[in-house]
């Protein structure tokens, strides 16, 4: 089942639990706006090349739309639609005043020089500048984009609208980015994990963790878990996988990857088959990479008691059912990885106020938001006698539905 079908299925289940009207259901499902633009740029060799750029703006009942811009050769419109919708529910679960959006350009950033990427980003911004904005739609980095991409968007947008640092988040610190933004998603994953474990009378200290994906989110989560006394027994990324039953020294692993660009040949652990990582012996499994990695083929063999969905849509609905029957507790993606968008919100607030926060305040507020959202999600689980995924979906969908009805959607 693809990401869009799975998101729609979870959404419809939440609608049934909430007893929402079919007209409201249809209204909440259909995107507010879908934008598709042609972006033609001169390459460094003087030839012209065209790319297709797009933006799906899903819902703005609770505030400006919010979501990443990705540069990837196989940008799938269905997946982007699903991720835009997921952002609507995610921002509502975190209780930040946004709706959902997502977008990008169908290109391979590895094939483009820095100057070509800059030209492409500026052309894309020229095409959509009147459809994004501080109080309309606020983009952020995603797959294949970064703080530099956001700086180019800010600069190009500001040519049309005056200096507008709040038009994008995930910017470099020097031009209005927030302290703590780089670690935010991984830190949010750890705060969410602490809240879940506390509910079951446990703590991170001395539990065994497996982390799939060692990019920004996975490496920050690993570092913070290691600092809290958690034992990380296996880690993987696209370069390979490492295990050590006594626990991997994450600082050493980060240094090794920094110097070699790979997890291979790390002396603090043994090499393992990356395919076996998800079913490795552990207490807590944290998938931080791709969607659909837990499916009906491997779900029955998962040994973890808790799964923390740091990636978007890592668990297929079929796997969800198998894992639930085994008694595995899953902390859903729309809550677990909401730390990034929460600190993006803090960045937006700081830019609007023109008053920047120190990192301690950012982290303290992030913990407050993640802890509060967990309690709200648990309350929905009790009200509707459902698991955490449906607790999160009912919480998010209900908030958006209420905002939609209060604003007078039939007018």
């Amino acid at each position: 089942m693809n990401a869009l079908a799975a998101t729609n299925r979870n959404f419809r289940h939440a609608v049934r639990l909430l007893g929402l009207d079919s007209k409201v259901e249809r209204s909440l499902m259909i995107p507010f706006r879908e934008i598709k633009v042609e972006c033609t740029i001169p390459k460094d060799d003087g030839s012209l090349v065209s790319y297709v750029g797009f933006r799906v703006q899903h819902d703005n009942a609770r505030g400006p739309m919010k979501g990443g811009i990705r540069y990837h050769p196989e940008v799938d419109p269905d997946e982007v639609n699903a991720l835009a919708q997921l952002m609507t529910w995610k921002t509502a679960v975190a209780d930040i005043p946004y709706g959902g959006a997502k977008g990008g350009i169908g290109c391979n950033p590895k094939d483009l020089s820095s100057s070509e990427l800059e030209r492409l980003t500026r052309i894309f911004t020229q095409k959509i500048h009147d459809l994004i904005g501080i109080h309309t739609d606020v983009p952020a980095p995603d797959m294949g984009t970064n703080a530099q991409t956001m700086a180019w968007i800010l600069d190009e947008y500001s040519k049309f609208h005056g200096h507008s640092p709040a038009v994008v988040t995930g910017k470099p610190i020097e031009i209005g980015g927030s302290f703590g933004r780089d670690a935010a998603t991984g830190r949010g994953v750890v705060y969410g994990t602490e809240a879940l474990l506390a509910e079951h009378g446990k703590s991170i200290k001395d539990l065994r963790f497996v982390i799939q994906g060692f990019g920004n989110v996975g490496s920050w989560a690993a570092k913070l878990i290691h600092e809290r006394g958690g034992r990380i027994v296996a880690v993987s990324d696209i370069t390979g996988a490492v295990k050590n039953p006594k626990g991997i020294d994450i600082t050493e692993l980060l240094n090794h990857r920094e110097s070699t660009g790979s997890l291979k040949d790390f002396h603090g652990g043994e090499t393992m088959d990356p395919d076996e990582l998800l079913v490795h012996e552990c207490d807590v499994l944290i998938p931080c990479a791709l969607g659909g990695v837990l499916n009906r083929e491997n779900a029955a063999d998962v040994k973890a008691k808790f799964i923390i969905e740091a990636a978007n849509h890592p668990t297929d609905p079929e796997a969800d059912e198998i894992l639930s029957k085994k008694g595995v507790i899953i902390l859903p993606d729309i809550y677990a990885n909401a730390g990034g968008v929460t600190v993006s919100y803090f960045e937006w607030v700081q830019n609007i106020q023109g008053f920047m926060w120190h990192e301690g305040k950012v982290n303290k507020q992030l913990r407050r938001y993640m802890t509060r959202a967990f309690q709200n999600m648990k309350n929905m689980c009790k009200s509707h006698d459902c698991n955490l995924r449906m607790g999160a979906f009912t919480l998010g969908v209900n908030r958006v539905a209420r905002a939609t009805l209060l604003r007078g959607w039939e007018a």
Side-chain angles (χ1 to χ4, degrees), residues 71-73 107-114 116-117 143-144 238:
Y71 289 0
H72 194 270
C107 69
N108 188 344
K110 292 190 179 76
D111 295 343
L112 297 170
S113 69
S114 178
E116 287 167 345
L117 281 170
M143 201 186 297
I238 52 169

Side-chain angles (χ1 to χ4, degrees), residues 219-235:
S219 57
W220 273 109
K223 187 170 180 286
L224 295 165
I225 287 165
H226 183 66
E227 284 173 8
R228 285 161 169 74
R231 187 154 46 108
I232 296 166
V233 294
V235 168

Side-chain angles (χ1 to χ4, degrees), residues 66-113:
K66 186 90 190 76
I69 288 179
R70 55 177 54 184
Y71 289 0
H72 194 270
E74 294 166 22
V75 169
D76 172 36
D78 266 5
E79 186 185 29
V80 173
N81 224 311
L83 293 172
Q85 191 190 133
L86 213 52
M87 284 301 293
T88 298
W89 317 135
K90 185 183 292 183
T91 51
V93 168
D95 204 15
I96 54 179
Y98 287 140
K102 208 74 171 185
I105 300 174
C107 69
N108 188 344
K110 292 190 179 76
D111 295 343
L112 297 170
S113 69

Side-chain angles (χ1 to χ4, degrees), residues 333-352:
D333 52 0
I334 64 168
Y335 166 74
N337 64 26
V341 72
T342 303
V343 175
S344 276
Y345 164 59
F346 299 162
E347 181 179 332
W348 181 75
V349 166
Q350 291 168 73
N351 293 156
I352 288 170

Side-chain angles (χ1 to χ4, degrees), residues 182-361:
D182 188 47
T185 309
R187 191 176 291 278
V189 164
V190 173
Y191 289 158
T193 303
E194 286 178 325
L196 176 66
L197 292 174
E199 189 81 12
H200 293 270
K202 298 177 188 297
S203 69
I204 285 174
K205 192 170 170 12
D206 298 328
L207 288 185
R208 297 164 304 159
F209 291 79
V210 165
I211 296 178
Q212 188 217 23
F214 205 59
N216 172 276
V217 180
S219 57
W220 273 109
K223 187 170 180 286
L224 295 165
I225 287 165
H226 183 66
E227 284 173 8
R228 285 161 169 74
R231 187 154 46 108
I232 296 166
V233 294
V235 168
S236 74
D237 70 2
I238 52 169
T239 64
V242 179
K243 65 176 178 180
N244 184 340
K246 292 179 181 169
I248 295 165
D249 186 320
I250 295 300
T251 309
E252 279 185 21
L253 185 61
L254 285 165
N255 291 339
H256 173 80
R257 194 190 57 179
E258 185 72 30
S259 58
T260 67
S262 166
L263 298 186
K264 282 180 186 161
D265 305 320
F266 175 61
H267 298 306
E270 299 170 48
T271 301
M272 69 180 289
D273 180 350
D275 293 336
E276 288 174 13
L277 185 105
L278 295 165
V279 297
H280 194 65
E281 192 72 50
C282 67
D283 302 304
V284 184
L285 171 63
I286 310 183
C288 302
L290 300 168
V293 293
L294 292 165
N295 48 51
R296 62 168 174 249
E297 275 78 46
N298 60 12
D301 300 322
V302 168
K303 297 175 185 69
K305 299 168 193 69
F306 300 93
I307 294 172
I308 313 295
E309 293 187 333
N312 281 319
H313 184 60
T315 315
D316 275 353
E318 295 92 332
D320 230 350
E321 285 178 27
I322 295 165
L323 292 162
S324 289
K325 282 176 187 159
K326 286 180 65 175
V328 178
I329 294 159
I330 300 173
L331 196 65
D333 52 0
I334 64 168
Y335 166 74
N337 64 26
V341 72
T342 303
V343 175
S344 276
Y345 164 59
F346 299 162
E347 181 179 332
W348 181 75
V349 166
Q350 291 168 73
N351 293 156
I352 288 170
Q353 290 180 331
F355 183 82
M356 305 310 285
W357 303 354
H358 58 79
E359 190 171 351
K361 179 171 179 177

